[in-house]
Amino acid sequence: MKSEILSLLRERGDYVSGQELCERFGVSRNAVWKNIEQLKKDGYDIAAVRNRGYLLQESAAFDVFGQNELESRIRTKWVGKRALFFPEIGSTNIRAKQEAEEGAPEGTLIVSDHQTAGRGRRGRAWESPAGCNVYFSLMLRPELKPEEAPMMTLLMALAVAKAMEEMEPKAAETDDAAVRIKWPNDIVIGGKKVCGILTEMSMEQTYIQHVVIGVGINVRRQTFASEIAQTATSLEEAWDKPVPRCELIGRICSAFEELYENFLQSRTLAGVREEYERFLANKGREVRVLDPAGEYDGTALGINDRGELLVRSTEGNIKEVYAGEVSVRGIYGYI
Ligand code: BTN
């Protein structure tokens, strides 16, 4: 009930009477009061005024990261409707996979403040310190062929980019603060990585059993490990303003739900291509395609309906680069 009280107080942005809360949740005044007291203990600033009721006074700098706050920020139909918050966990991707195997509903969301065994792409570790970042995994059961799965990662990248832009609309106005996607799914700001996405799937012969999309976002200012210090940044460093983490997760869930439901109708990215390309950092840039069959250089043009990167090679052929197999580097830097 605490998360519902929070949502209601936040939505109202004004005093809500104790009576209204009692009626809404079918509980006594005393029960409402007790819940409010617990929320205050969790750090929420809630004013209680006789004859007026309760008022939530929020400041963006106050970043509660926990179960109630998370639930209160999720405004979707099904994505994240079952959300589990862990102060510490090995890896949210592993937990989400276990949930899938135990029959959890599609859209189950695992969120943590600290991962002790965070996983990155290509078998790398993902540094996951406590108190400063977002680590979450979303579990889905799509009726897709395994080779179609990379499209879901692109959709998540687009959802993250859209949600970030909503959090800081002014960002789009300056190159240094604008949110961009480095194909297929790194989110970058000012040429530095702010978010990584790791999609893992479980397959049964030719169909997908479940997919786990794991997202790690650098939020607070922090000292990065020396290997990534030159290429990583955080939202607060890039924007110089506080970013409440559960609000960001809530917005990502809403954006993803809408994109994913539309995607399932055509099972192509035709409907989001233009929007994805608006964020695409590589567009028009010289890239090196690290194809196991042979590296080549070219100019990135955009994506096709399957989410492959279109690259015009130096010989003038247009190649379609499939996200699952190759990686793309900027010739003059990270992008
Ligand atoms: C990358 O290498 O760019 C992908 C990093 C993905 C990290 C996230 S954090 C939440 C989820 N759990 C993990 O163990 N990894 C992903």
Side-chain angles (χ1 to χ4, degrees):
M1 185 166 74
K2 285 196 260 316
S3 61
E4 281 109 339
I5 294 181
L6 276 175
S7 302
L8 181 60
L9 293 180
R10 186 173 291 129
E11 207 171 273
R12 191 68 56 84
D14 196 354
Y15 283 91
V16 179
S17 71
Q19 186 60 33
E20 181 177 342
L21 291 169
C22 294
E23 282 165 15
R24 172 75 75 104
F25 301 114
V27 295
S28 67
R29 269 179 180 264
N30 194 37
V32 166
W33 179 80
K34 272 198 186 142
N35 276 286
I36 296 275
E37 284 307 301
Q38 279 164 12
L39 286 169
K40 283 190 190 168
K41 276 209 191 91
D42 293 342
Y44 292 95
D45 184 0
I46 302 176
V49 174
R50 195 181 282 274
N51 296 329
R52 296 193 73 187
Y54 300 103
L55 173 73
L56 176 63
Q57 307 177 104
E58 279 193 301
S59 100
F62 179 58
D63 181 29
V64 186
F65 204 38
Q67 184 71 38
N68 292 321
E69 177 67 11
L70 179 64
E71 286 176 14
S72 78
R73 292 288 187 178
I74 296 196
R75 320 301 299 264
T76 51
K77 292 190 293 261
W78 59 275
V79 168
K81 273 291 161 203
R82 177 162 184 271
L84 305 178
F85 179 86
F86 296 88
E88 185 183 293
I89 201 165
S91 155
T92 56
N93 265 31
I94 296 194
R95 177 62 194 236
K97 183 176 163 53
Q98 284 165 355
E99 293 285 325
E101 284 160 0
E102 285 161 17
E106 179 167 40
T108 293
L109 182 73
I110 308 294
V111 179
S112 183
D113 183 46
H114 177 204
Q115 294 185 121
T116 52
R119 290 142 69 110
R121 271 181 299 167
R122 298 176 204 289
R124 294 192 201 110
W126 184 258
E127 288 295 320
S128 309
C132 50
N133 295 325
V134 161
Y135 316 110
F136 75 80
S137 301
L138 178 65
M139 190 275 285
L140 299 161
R141 302 182 189 278
E143 285 178 20
L144 291 177
K145 297 190 204 108
E147 61 272 23
E148 293 173 319
M151 288 192 278
M152 302 177 64
T153 318
L154 268 75
L155 282 181
M156 180 56 88
L158 181 55
V160 172
K162 287 177 72 165
M164 285 182 179
E165 203 172 76
E166 281 169 21
M167 301 282 291
E168 178 57 345
K170 287 203 301 278
E173 293 162 17
T174 55
D175 272 354
D176 281 356
V179 179
R180 295 276 173 263
I181 301 171
K182 175 181 178 288
W183 182 88
N185 50 23
D186 281 352
I187 308 289
V188 296
I189 300 184
K192 292 183 169 186
K193 179 160 166 174
V194 75
C195 164
I197 303 177
L198 172 67
T199 299
E200 298 183 284
M201 62 181 159
S202 160
M203 284 185 295
E204 186 69 54
Q205 288 166 354
T206 56
Y207 67 91
I208 295 178
Q209 277 183 324
H210 62 257
V211 170
V212 168
I213 310 179
V215 179
I217 305 173
N218 305 329
V219 177
R220 301 268 109 85
R221 288 172 200 272
Q222 59 205 274
T223 310
F224 294 104
S226 56
E227 316 86 79
I228 57 167
Q230 298 307 311
T231 52
T233 190
S234 65
L235 294 177
E236 294 191 352
E237 193 172 314
W239 295 341
D240 197 22
K241 68 171 223 179
V243 175
R245 289 178 284 173
C246 286
E247 182 182 347
L248 178 61
I249 297 173
R251 286 180 187 274
I252 295 171
C253 287
S254 299
F256 184 81
E257 184 175 272
E258 193 185 335
L259 291 168
Y260 185 66
E261 285 186 348
N262 289 336
F263 161 75
L264 286 182
Q265 289 173 15
S266 66
R267 289 149 126 228
T268 78
L269 299 181
V272 298
R273 220 172 120 173
E274 216 173 280
E275 201 170 21
Y276 184 92
E277 287 186 356
R278 178 169 79 76
F279 286 102
L280 186 60
N282 318 75
K283 200 169 173 172
R285 289 191 185 236
E286 311 257 312
V287 292
R288 176 155 300 152
V289 180
L290 308 176
D291 190 327
E295 283 183 24
Y296 57 90
D297 292 349
T299 309
L301 304 176
I303 60 164
N304 64 16
D305 291 354
R306 292 185 300 276
E308 294 160 341
L309 187 70
L310 301 173
V311 176
R312 189 173 46 232
S313 70
T314 33
E315 291 86 49
N317 313 320
I318 310 257
K319 308 221 183 191
E320 294 172 332
V321 184
Y322 177 67
E325 287 161 4
V326 301
S327 82
V328 167
R329 297 265 176 285
I331 293 184
Y332 306 109
Y334 167 61
I335 294 174

